[in-house]
Amino acid sequence: MQISPVIHISHLQKRFGKFQALHDVTFDVQPGEVFGFIGPNGAGKSTTIRTLLGLLRATSGTATIFGKDVFRNAVSIHKNIAYVPGDVYLWPNLTGGEIIDLFLKLSHQRHSKRTDSLIKAFGLDTSKKARTYSKGNRQKVALIAALSQTADLYIFDEPTSGLDPLNEQIFQDEVKALKADGKAILLSSHILSEVEQMCDRIGIIREGTIIETGTLAEMQHLTRTQMTVTTKTPLTDLTNQPGVHQLKQSDPTSATFAVDSDAMTVVTQYLAAHQLLTLKSTPPTLEDLFLRYYGKQTDQVTNSETGDGTDA
Ligand SMILES: Nc1ncnc2c1ncn2[C@@H]1O[C@H](COP(=O)(O)OP(=O)(O)O)[C@@H](O)[C@H]1O
Ligand SMILES: [Mg+2]
């Protein structure tokens, strides 16, 4: 049985006058899925999201939410989505609490027990006027209002850029709970660690074009764990171990190399058999992927053998 996607975007293009912000954006988001929309500043994340919200009209391509055209059916779609923009603007003379309730009212929802528990979890002082709030507090107001809404799709545009790690963790837990509840979540970010924590699949956007889409596992096989080890007995045949790359050995009992993730078990067993003394291991991060695409150091990150079969 085919589940229909919550978001379906196909070959979306958006021009602002002569400037083409989106060239080719294609991805789906399924129910019960956290989709990470990753790219550097200016790549087109917010433009894609504003198009999805019907705030901008696409130049060409299709975008649907719940199977409906995002521009023509914006009103009915909005009844069932919650959204937190990248830049949160609040009414300066209203208190945080008043604004949360206003946001809820605008979405035809009510202040609930859940709203109270979110306010408590994020530690927001709702009695203060919004003009006294820091960026992080403004974000909390928007997050609390969005998270306390009942919706089938939640869209967060760089939601945690002003939050401290503790509040970021609270946000992550909330998103996981929504996912467990079968909701669809679109989360844009240029913070890779945040996405690695939460997302089932990610799409990487660069200069208005999605250049890769896949599960984290699919992406991680493209990167390798970096290891530095010392052993008691000489590592004479480490170079012949499958999955070991870029081996550097200053002497027979110490080595630095990269390991394919699917070869980890075998390689660690090999190392243990040589009486491992010290081990430093740096796990693969999306940073590595980013370097491949955006960095000047692309040559350092292995890419020639990895193929490019993840994005159809
Ligand atoms: N209303 C607009 N008019 C002209 N250019 C715009 C407009 N909105 C965004 N852009 C441009 O489109 C590109 C993508 O912007 P944006 O979607 O905000 O990127 P991101 O959210 O990934 O940082 C940028 O070069 C930005 O300057
Ligand atoms: Mg943006």
Side-chain angles (χ1 to χ4, degrees), residues 14-50:
K14 176 63 191 174
R15 259 195 311 271
F16 295 108
K18 279 192 182 141
F19 177 72
Q20 186 148 6
L22 303 182
H23 291 271
D24 187 2
V25 176
T26 298
F27 64 84
D28 286 352
V29 183
Q30 310 291 339
E33 176 176 65
V34 185
F35 187 87
F37 191 30
I38 311 305
N41 289 329
K45 301 181 296 295
S46 296
T47 302
T48 303
I49 288 172
R50 284 199 279 267

Side-chain angles (χ1 to χ4, degrees), residues 133-144:
Y133 281 154
S134 63
K135 176 172 192 219
N137 279 333
R138 290 199 298 275
Q139 258 172 333
K140 284 183 191 177
V141 169
L143 283 173
I144 290 164

Side-chain angles (χ1 to χ4, degrees), residues 269-287:
Q269 279 162 359
Y270 169 91
L271 292 170
H274 288 76
Q275 295 177 278
L276 197 56
L277 296 174
T278 65
L279 164 75
K280 193 175 137 235
S281 131
T282 321
T285 64
L286 289 173
E287 214 81 55

Side-chain angles (χ1 to χ4, degrees), residues 168-225:
E168 187 173 337
Q169 187 59 51
I170 292 161
F171 172 72
Q172 292 187 0
D173 294 344
E174 291 297 335
V175 169
K176 281 177 192 152
L178 291 174
K179 170 186 149 67
D181 230 13
K183 313 297 192 178
I185 297 113
L186 174 63
L187 175 68
S188 93
S189 183
H190 67 272
I191 305 167
L192 302 170
S193 58
E194 161 175 291
V195 162
E196 279 186 297
Q197 296 286 326
M198 276 188 287
C199 296
D200 302 293
R201 284 192 310 130
I202 63 174
I204 299 180
I205 184 169
R206 175 199 190 184
E207 291 172 6
T209 302
I210 294 272
I211 49 176
E212 191 151 9
T213 314
T215 64
L216 216 47
E218 281 166 347
M219 300 253 176
Q220 275 182 333
H221 88 271
L222 300 175
T223 62
R224 291 163 179 167
T225 301

Side-chain angles (χ1 to χ4, degrees), residues 228-230 247-256:
T228 302
V229 299
T230 55
L247 177 64
K248 282 185 207 110
Q249 274 186 286
S250 48
D251 66 78
T253 57
S254 61
T256 296

